[in-house]
Amino acid sequence: MQGEEKQYETVIGLEVHVELSTKTKIFCGCSTRFGAPPNTQTCPVCTGMPGSLPVLNRQVVEYALALGLALHCEVNRYCRFDRKNYFYPDNPQNYQISQLYLPVCYDGEVEIALAGEQEEKREGNGNGAPAGAAGTGRKKKIRIHELHMEEDAGKLVHEENGDCSLVDYNRSGVPLIEIVSEPDMRNAEEAIAYLEKLCMLCRYLGISDGKLQEGSLRADVNLSVREAGSGTLGTRTEMKNLNSFRAVSRAVAEERRRQIALLKEGKKVVQETRRWDDTKGGSYPIRSKEDAEDYRYFPEPDVPPVVISREWTDEIRSRLPEFKEEKEERYQKEFGLSAYDAGVLTQSRHLAELFEKTAVLCGNPKKAANWFMGEVLRLLKERGREPEELWFSPEHLAALIKAAEQGKINQANAQKVFAEIVERDVEPLSYMKEQGLETLSDEGALRLAAEEVLAGNPGLVAEFRAGKEKVFGFFVGQVMKKTKGMADPGKVNELLRQLLGKTE
Ligand code: ADP
Ligand code: MG
Ligand code: ZN
């Protein structure tokens, strides 16, 4: 990356659409559930029938406010919707109800975590360890220009061998929040860290699945380049159809290259919207950038303005959850976890809460963390499940951890019981008993087994007494074998030492 390319700086601003997980659509009572047969979740409102009237879903405003507050935004006390007029078959009303003049929230900022100095060089490596998980990284603030509510459009389905397109209006009217950043990002790593942060906030707030891959979060990348040190912004393009962090990273690299090449040839960058093709690894223009006047925006006459009182805002603020960074810090301070473990355990709010309850109940946070970092994550990975799908009672895992710590069950069997807890939320103590998984800790039975082993190996006992410490392991092994591996190894050790020492 030395030489000529160095003299150009990349400037990135993101427009992110978050699909909200409300039960019903933004202006009607139709379900938002994904995957229903085409056009089964529609009504006169969301198909734009003349004479139908929209009614605003209160939950959408509350979700927008929650995200806006989490992004440290100002709230518009008087917020209003506007009509964005455009003609396209995915939009049966011929306009989209959105917000242009008085968005619900504005002027915020969000802190993103970036890798340390060395890793930073690998520009655009989107996957790998969670950013900042090691706690050694850089932080950067990205300003939020605004956040507004709007409705989604329907979905066009292009028949593969037909000469027609079909349209499914189930998605028409599904609530969206659009978050518009200032052009504060300088490379793909920052853009990805910003997106990850938004995903995480949405999931912690429970307002969206927040998944780029599944389309519940869609990112448009605005990118321009300028000579390093220049105080003015270059002409930007807007890139659409970025369905993964990897696609964002590749698109940023490619668009930067394309714009720099144009400038070097003495040509101009055209302000336009481009579509990224991830299989081809390139983009093509889909339309020249339209200005607001092209849409003939005007205040939406059918939806009354929303007055957002201070009390309402305060109430929503008071319900905000403890977010990842705060949890991470607290786990290190309160539980003595490493920055890495704290980072991993707080990837999901649900996982963090399960861990925390288990830690408190079993009284040994570090042990609990080991179980989560090891067994819980391994099982999830093995079964291809999300942390959100865990539903066991922390009481049960805590009881198992305690039993293992007290030597009531060996590690291998504890893992078996754990799998049952995750699968069926079994009560571990009774399950252990029922399945005969408890270690043999009954003094009498163990003593008998130990005595038998020693009596059967007089030669080795003599060797041991003569100082050959090594054979002790053999005795332990024999007792374990006699008890079919069910003996508590700690107890066996103790007993053998006792017996071998006694006759000395
Ligand atoms: P529009 O109103 O045409 O959509 P905005 O000014 O609202 O344009 O900007 C849209 C997005 O593009 C914002 O995220 C903003 O940060 C970003 N952006 C604006 N100008 C530039 C630029 N020159 N380079 C990179 N990003 C830009
Ligand atoms: Mg825009
Ligand atoms: Zn409807």
Side-chain angles (χ1 to χ4, degrees):
M1 296 294 276
Q2 292 298 315
E4 289 175 282
E5 293 219 347
K6 269 266 157 156
Q7 55 185 315
Y8 289 97
E9 179 181 50
T10 315
V11 174
I12 300 170
L14 293 182
E15 290 167 284
V16 176
H17 288 89
V18 176
E19 203 176 85
L20 300 184
S21 51
T22 50
K23 287 205 177 65
T24 56
K25 295 186 179 180
I26 182 168
F27 297 120
C28 63
C30 291
S31 167
T32 58
R33 195 170 57 84
F34 186 78
N39 298 308
T40 53
Q41 292 169 353
T42 56
C43 74
V45 173
C46 57
T47 50
M49 295 298 159
S52 65
L53 285 172
V55 177
L56 178 61
N57 182 342
R58 182 186 176 94
Q59 185 78 80
V60 174
V61 185
E62 298 209 337
Y63 280 178
L65 282 173
L67 185 58
L69 293 173
L71 294 170
H72 310 288
C73 287
E74 303 293 325
V75 174
N76 254 326
R77 298 284 152 218
Y78 182 83
C79 116
R80 201 183 60 192
F81 288 87
D82 302 292
R83 262 187 205 186
K84 179 180 181 178
N85 298 279
Y86 72 97
F87 184 70
Y88 201 67
D90 67 359
N91 167 28
Q93 301 169 128
N94 289 345
Y95 58 83
Q96 176 196 34
I97 305 182
S98 179
Q99 296 193 288
L100 179 71
Y101 301 106
L102 296 166
V104 59
C105 297
Y106 62 98
D107 281 358
E109 64 174 29
V110 62
E111 194 172 70
I112 57 168
L114 301 159
E117 293 294 303
Q118 281 163 333
E119 281 135 295
E120 199 191 325
K121 301 270 151 42
R122 292 184 289 126
E123 180 173 313
N125 184 356
N127 31 40
T136 55
R138 232 161 22 95
K139 304 247 191 250
K140 178 172 175 175
K141 285 204 165 120
I142 306 296
R143 290 168 304 151
I144 305 294
H145 180 71
E146 67 165 69
L147 177 153
H148 63 254
M149 301 172 274
E150 59 186 32
E151 56 181 338
D152 209 346
K155 198 176 166 181
L156 288 180
V157 186
H158 306 287
E159 287 284 280
E160 273 217 1
N161 41 13
D163 50 5
C164 67
S165 290
L166 301 172
V167 62
D168 175 5
Y169 291 121
N170 282 351
R171 211 180 60 186
S172 170
V174 166
L176 298 175
I177 294 179
E178 179 173 342
I179 305 126
V180 183
S181 84
E182 295 293 347
D184 286 351
M185 286 152 277
R186 294 292 174 267
N187 55 45
E189 191 208 0
E190 294 184 1
I192 287 166
Y194 171 78
L195 284 171
E196 280 179 337
K197 177 82 183 212
L198 286 184
C199 289
M200 199 272 298
L201 287 175
C202 288
R203 287 202 302 263
Y204 259 71
L205 288 167
I207 65 174
S208 168
D209 299 341
K211 284 185 191 148
L212 201 60
Q213 277 77 358
E214 292 172 20
S216 55
L217 194 133
R218 305 197 281 270
D220 302 338
V221 172
N222 293 272
L223 186 149
S224 63
V225 296
R226 64 178 173 191
E227 282 189 36
S230 158
T232 50
L233 292 172
T235 305
R236 74 177 190 275
T237 59
E238 180 176 342
M239 187 89 60
K240 290 194 177 290
N241 193 38
L242 301 163
N243 300 323
S244 65
F245 291 123
R246 202 177 96 93
V248 170
S249 158
R250 294 175 72 206
V252 164
E254 170 54 22
E255 183 58 11
R256 170 185 158 88
R257 187 205 60 75
R258 193 187 70 85
Q259 290 189 12
I260 290 173
L262 281 173
L263 297 180
K264 279 190 180 159
E265 286 171 35
K267 293 182 183 156
K268 285 206 166 101
V269 173
V270 181
Q271 188 177 335
E272 63 194 358
T273 304
R274 303 178 66 88
R275 186 180 162 90
W276 175 252
D277 183 334
D278 206 42
T279 22
K280 292 211 178 83
S283 66
Y284 53 91
I286 45 177
R287 56 176 183 257
S288 65
K289 179 73 188 171
E290 52 293 282
D291 287 320
E293 49 267 33
D294 295 328
Y295 290 117
R296 289 164 174 78
Y297 276 100
F298 62 87
E300 167 59 50
D302 289 342
V303 182
V306 189
V307 177
I308 302 172
S309 68
R310 211 162 278 283
E311 291 73 40
W312 194 14
T313 317
D314 287 345
E315 188 202 316
I316 286 170
R317 199 193 306 276
S318 73
R319 287 204 307 251
L320 292 181
E322 181 185 37
F323 286 110
K324 186 175 194 298
E325 293 76 13
E326 304 154 89
K327 273 198 196 300
E328 263 182 278
E329 233 182 273
R330 191 162 59 77
Y331 288 1
Q332 292 174 61
K333 274 208 198 96
E334 229 170 77
F335 296 151
L337 300 192
S338 69
Y340 181 80
D341 287 2
V344 173
L345 292 174
T346 52
Q347 288 299 300
S348 136
R349 179 179 169 188
H350 180 61
L351 184 72
E353 285 173 355
L354 265 181
F355 156 70
E356 206 175 319
K357 284 187 189 140
T358 309
V360 171
L361 286 165
C362 80
N364 190 337
K366 282 206 167 149
K367 268 260 149 60
N370 287 343
W371 270 85
F372 273 82
M373 295 295 294
E375 292 306 304
V376 178
L377 294 181
R378 188 183 54 75
L379 215 92
L380 285 177
K381 202 170 165 196
E382 208 176 275
R383 307 197 172 169
R385 297 214 194 133
E386 297 287 328
E388 276 62 36
E389 294 174 73
L390 291 169
W391 60 282
F392 64 80
S393 331
E395 287 79 9
H396 290 168
L397 181 53
L400 178 65
I401 294 174
K402 269 193 192 158
E405 228 181 320
Q406 293 162 358
K408 286 186 188 149
I409 184 165
N410 64 33
Q411 190 60 24
N413 284 332
Q415 284 179 7
K416 276 187 211 156
V417 176
F418 172 71
E420 293 300 316
I421 292 179
V422 170
E423 205 60 49
R424 305 188 284 121
D425 200 25
V426 297
E427 199 290 302
L429 299 184
S430 49
Y431 182 79
M432 279 156 55
K433 208 169 247 139
E434 203 181 286
Q435 300 287 314
L437 297 171
E438 287 173 302
T439 50
L440 214 58
S441 55
D442 170 40
E443 274 269 348
L446 282 185
R447 181 177 293 270
L448 203 69
E451 279 170 354
E452 273 173 29
V453 167
L454 296 184
N457 296 283
L460 289 174
V461 171
E463 279 182 39
F464 179 80
R465 295 227 163 97
K468 203 166 169 196
E469 181 62 29
K470 259 207 217 151
V471 295
F472 188 75
F474 172 80
F475 297 141
V476 177
Q478 288 305 105
V479 178
M480 294 306 285
K481 203 167 154 192
K482 249 189 183 341
T483 55
K484 302 199 171 62
M486 297 308 294
D488 172 358
K491 276 246 159 61
V492 172
N493 256 283
E494 205 178 289
L495 265 170
L496 281 169
R497 294 258 173 227
Q498 227 182 64
L499 290 171
L500 284 164
K502 208 159 63 179
T503 43
E504 221 168 7

